[in-house]
């Protein structure tokens, strides 16, 4: 059993509790981070071996995407056993070693939990199929008779996020609900056995030393009573804010109140982080009331483009919505489900500027593996190597999530760039040689060293980190300028240099400054005001 990390490091607010209020949390996508055994697939031992890199980078915690036993129909988000490690990633001993070594380095570990659905290879579901209609195990899922003369039509008109009906018919004629792939049956969270099982799963990982949970599809657990028809022909969005009868139902909050009681049983500020796609920031805030979860991903910010007025509006809305519930705002630019922000924003310069802007904002920030290297989206993957299940659905999503999941480059001048000795499960571009950790380390102009410097300043500067407000300063059109204590951040989102009186001494800039009172195009500067 690993020794849990105590509250050893005061936060930048000078207080002991609430490490998560100003934490920088780094997302590791295990299959694409580091391969220790040469099979072309990242694994837990690879992660363990690279923890010193994350410590040096300057992050506070590491979020691990799923590594559970799984048939891998959806990259591990189809879990067959929540207490076992998939052999492709290692063993439970390896997971324990990652947690233990992370704690020794002063890093916390957040594990991904997938409570909306499981794998169709989960023992509960396999038993439910064997036992047939009307049996107790079927009540733990959403089995229904079909519509039509002989039950040949789905029970309602819900569409899967990945395309096609959200229902699959089994041999005995009943249908089961799956909001995602057919291999991912949804749990029935009205059933007490489901609720009991997940409280047990929480305790299993908390006992192992996990510092918290990122909760996948946190908004999807409860469905509207009676499973009513959607009533419109509308393709659902994986990352959207539609009002739907199976997302963001009020009943989810009772579940998270019960989870908070479990988290609070354990010392060391264990946390819950909601992946909650909701129609508004105010709806997201409901997940973060004092007796529920601690953080939620700020997808409204992720979806905002590189444009000053829109960014200011989103920042204000985000801070305003969290303030009534006393939760920190979170900021995120990329993750394993979206096109990398360097590509979304159109240039490395904008990506670097966006990173400094994000890290200057009050609250907690998330960094997706490889963004600190300035990695672009890989847009030219051959069809035969793609594995995103939505890619194979003609009427589903764009199926391009594989492009942000290509294994990251560590060293060397040719693929797999130190990822492992046996290639990589998705091909890496030739031009990534210059973007590797080895190539960028020690180069003051590199994106990696920019992130390292930014995280050092962020940790050391008393005005950065936790907080719930910014003071906006007058600025030309297209420029954001705000103050936090004696710290000032200016961001020029335009394609032209902008003259602005220097508000202090330069702490850090996303690009070279040729004149102290001129902000280069697509740049962010930190000032000691």
């Amino acid at each position: 059993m690993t020794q849990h990390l105590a509250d050893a490091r005061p936060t930048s607010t000078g207080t002991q509790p609430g490490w998560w209020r100003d934490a920088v949390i780094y997302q590791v996508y295990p299959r694409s981070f580091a391969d220790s055994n040469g099979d072309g697939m990242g694994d837990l031992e690879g992660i363990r071996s690279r923890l010193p890199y994350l410590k040096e980078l300057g992050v506070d915690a590491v979020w691990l995407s799923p590594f559970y036993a799984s048939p891998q129909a959806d990259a591990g988000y189809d879990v067959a056993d929540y207490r076992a490690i998939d052999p492709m990633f290692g063993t439970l001993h390896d997971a324990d070693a990652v947690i233990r070594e992370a704690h020794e380095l002063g890093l916390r570990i957040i594990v991904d939990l997938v409570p909306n659905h499981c794998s169709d290879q989960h023992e509960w579901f396999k038993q439910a199929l064997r036992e047939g209609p009307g049996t107790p195990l079927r009540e733990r899922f959403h089995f229904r008779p079909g519509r039509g003369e002989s039950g040949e039509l789905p029970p309602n008109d819900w569409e899967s996020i990945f395309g096609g009906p959200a229902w699959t018919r089994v041999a005995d004629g009943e249908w089961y609900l799956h909001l995602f792939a057919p291999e991912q049956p949804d749990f029935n969270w009205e059933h007490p056995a489901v609720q009991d099982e997940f409280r047990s799963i929480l305790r299993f990982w908390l006992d192992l030393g996990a510092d918290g949970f990122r909760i996948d599809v946190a908004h999807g657990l409860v469905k509207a009573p009676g499973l009513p028809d959607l009533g419109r022909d509308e393709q659902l969005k994986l990352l959207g804010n539609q009002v739907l009868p199976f997302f963001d139902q009020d009943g989810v909050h009772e579940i998270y109140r019960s989870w908070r009681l479990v988290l609070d049983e354990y010392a060391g500020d264990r946390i819950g982080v909601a992946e909650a796609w909701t129609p508004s920031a105010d709806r997201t805030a409901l997940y973060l009331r004092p007796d529920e979860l601690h953080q939620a991903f700020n997808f409204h910010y992720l979806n905002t483009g590189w444009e000053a007025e829109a960014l200011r509006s989103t920042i204000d809305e985000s801070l305003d919505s969290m303030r009534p519930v006393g939760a920190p705002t979170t900021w995120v630019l990329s993750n394993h489900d979206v096109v990398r922000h360097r590509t979304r924003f159109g240039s490395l310069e904008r990506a670097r500027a966006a990173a400094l802007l994000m890290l200057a904002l009050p609250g907690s920030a998330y960094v997706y593996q490889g963004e600190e290297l300035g990695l672009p989206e890989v847009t030219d993957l051959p069809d035969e190597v793609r594995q995103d299940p939505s890619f194979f659905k003609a009427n589903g999503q764009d199926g391009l999530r594989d492009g942000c999941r290509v294994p990251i480059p560590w060293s060397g001048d040719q693929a797999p760039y130190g990822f492992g000795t046996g290639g990589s499960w998705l091909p890496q571009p030739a031009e990534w040689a210059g973007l590797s950790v080895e190539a960028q380390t020690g180069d003051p102009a590199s994106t990696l060293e920019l992130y390292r410097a930014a995280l050092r300043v962020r940790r050391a500067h008393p005005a950065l980190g936790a907080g719930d407000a910014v003071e906006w300063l007058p600025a030309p059109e297209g420029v954001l300028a705000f103050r936090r204590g004696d710290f000032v951040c200016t961001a020029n989102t335009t394609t032209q240099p902008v003259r602005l009186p220097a508000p202090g001494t330069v702490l850090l800039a996303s690009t070279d400054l040729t004149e102290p009172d001129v902000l280069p195009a697509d740049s962010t500067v930190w000032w000691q005001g």
Side-chain angles (χ1 to χ4, degrees):
M1 192 66 65
T2 188
Q3 180 67 38
H4 179 70
L5 179 69
D7 288 307
R9 180 183 72 84
T11 66
S12 61
T13 59
T15 60
Q16 289 290 96
W19 63 270
W20 40 275
R21 291 188 171 275
D22 63 354
V24 176
I25 300 173
Y26 185 98
Q27 180 188 358
V28 165
Y29 194 67
R31 62 172 58 201
S32 298
F33 193 64
D35 171 21
S36 71
N37 60 6
D39 66 355
M41 189 72 65
D43 48 45
L44 288 169
E45 175 57 23
I47 294 169
R48 189 199 62 76
S49 72
R50 297 294 187 175
L51 289 173
Y53 164 77
L54 298 178
K55 175 65 174 178
E56 183 183 2
L57 180 61
V59 301
D60 301 290
V62 181
W63 153 33
L64 302 175
S65 291
F67 47 73
Y68 309 106
S70 166
Q72 303 295 322
D74 183 22
Y77 283 92
D78 50 319
V79 180
D81 188 339
Y82 292 86
R83 298 176 182 83
I85 307 301
D86 195 281
M88 69 188 290
F89 297 126
T91 66
L92 194 58
H93 173 78
D94 295 325
D96 179 73
V98 169
I99 295 171
R100 184 189 307 112
E101 188 154 330
H103 288 173
E104 290 171 356
L105 290 169
L107 297 169
R108 289 175 165 87
I109 294 291
I110 295 170
V111 297
D112 216 317
L113 191 62
V114 188
N116 178 71
H117 48 262
C118 63
S119 166
D120 61 357
Q121 298 305 303
H122 191 287
E123 281 302 320
W124 282 9
F125 191 75
K126 292 196 294 183
Q127 187 176 344
L129 290 182
R130 289 194 301 266
E131 292 185 356
T135 54
L137 261 294
R138 291 218 170 178
E139 296 176 3
R140 300 181 186 184
F141 301 92
H142 294 280
F143 279 91
R144 296 287 189 278
R147 297 190 290 192
E149 289 186 12
S150 55
E152 73 278 7
L153 300 175
N156 66 21
D157 65 359
W158 293 0
E159 291 281 307
S160 162
I161 301 298
F162 290 156
W167 297 89
T168 290
R169 198 177 194 186
V170 300
D172 55 47
E174 282 202 327
W175 297 73
Y176 68 89
L177 177 67
H178 52 86
L179 293 181
F180 293 87
E183 297 88 350
Q184 295 170 290
D186 279 42
F187 284 114
N188 174 17
W189 272 89
E190 303 294 331
H191 199 291
V194 174
Q195 300 184 26
D196 290 345
E197 170 68 355
F198 273 89
R199 283 191 291 265
S200 174
I201 292 167
L202 291 175
R203 290 190 174 95
F204 177 87
W205 288 101
L206 291 167
D207 287 342
L208 203 65
D211 297 284
F213 302 90
R214 178 265 189 186
I215 303 160
D216 184 62
V217 196
H219 54 300
L221 276 55
V222 173
K223 280 65 176 174
L227 309 184
D229 279 340
L230 190 58
R232 58 185 186 271
D233 182 16
E234 178 181 4
Q235 174 56 45
L236 307 179
K237 299 297 184 185
L238 175 64
L239 308 178
N241 58 359
Q242 296 143 298
V243 177
L244 300 163
F246 42 78
F247 281 167
D248 193 35
Q249 300 294 302
D250 289 339
V252 299
H253 299 291
E254 182 179 349
I255 296 168
Y256 297 130
R257 282 190 284 272
S258 74
W259 286 20
R260 180 59 178 263
L261 294 174
V262 175
L263 292 168
D264 287 349
E265 292 173 10
Y266 291 79
D269 266 348
R270 318 292 183 100
I271 70 168
V273 182
E275 183 206 31
W277 290 92
T278 68
S280 68
D282 290 339
R283 290 292 299 180
T284 300
L286 297 179
Y287 292 74
L288 307 178
R289 288 173 286 195
D291 61 346
E292 292 191 43
L293 302 174
H294 300 77
Q295 287 187 353
F297 291 108
N298 188 349
F299 295 118
H300 303 289
Y301 186 74
L302 185 151
N303 283 328
T304 302
W306 184 242
E307 194 275 314
E309 185 176 349
L311 282 165
R312 177 168 174 167
S313 176
T314 299
I315 291 166
D316 282 341
E317 179 187 359
S318 300
L319 293 169
D320 290 347
S321 64
M322 294 298 113
R323 205 172 290 118
V325 295
T329 306
T330 66
W331 313 99
V332 60
L333 293 169
S334 288
N335 65 29
H336 65 292
D337 280 330
V338 300
V339 171
R340 285 186 177 275
H341 65 271
R342 171 177 170 175
T343 299
R344 291 203 322 273
F345 291 162
S347 71
L348 178 59
E349 289 74 23
R350 288 182 177 179
R352 289 165 58 96
L356 284 196
L357 174 61
M358 175 183 79
L359 292 171
L361 294 169
S364 178
Y366 282 78
V367 174
Y368 178 52
Q369 66 176 45
E371 75 171 73
E372 79 278 14
L373 304 177
L375 295 186
E377 185 82 359
V378 181
T379 57
D380 58 353
L381 289 170
D383 290 357
E384 59 268 20
V385 305
R386 292 186 179 275
Q387 298 191 25
D388 183 351
S390 63
F391 178 75
F392 303 99
K393 297 284 189 180
N395 62 338
Q397 304 300 309
D398 57 19
L400 297 179
R401 292 184 299 166
D402 291 316
C404 64
R405 300 175 178 183
V406 174
I408 65 174
W410 291 95
S411 60
D413 56 7
Q414 59 185 5
Y417 306 116
F419 171 68
T421 59
S424 60
W425 68 281
L426 287 173
Q428 300 155 300
E431 58 270 22
W432 277 17
L435 296 177
S436 72
V437 173
E438 180 183 60
Q440 296 196 45
T441 295
D443 177 1
S446 73
T447 301
L448 175 58
E449 293 299 350
L450 177 70
Y451 269 77
R452 286 172 170 165
L455 293 179
R456 282 195 300 271
V457 174
R458 192 180 193 276
R459 182 181 293 265
H461 201 294
L464 291 176
D468 65 359
V470 298
E471 175 192 351
W472 294 106
L473 303 175
E477 185 177 357
V479 174
L480 294 173
F482 62 83
R483 177 183 298 278
R484 299 183 63 198
D486 59 354
F487 170 90
V488 175
C489 177
T490 56
N492 178 9
T493 69
T494 75
T495 58
Q496 300 296 323
V498 174
R499 192 166 295 278
L500 183 72
T505 303
V506 175
L507 288 172
L508 192 62
S510 65
T511 192
D512 291 334
L513 302 181
T514 55
E515 301 178 63
D517 61 346
V518 174
L519 295 178
D522 292 321
S523 69
T524 297
V525 184
W526 290 1
W527 309 83
Q528 179 66 39

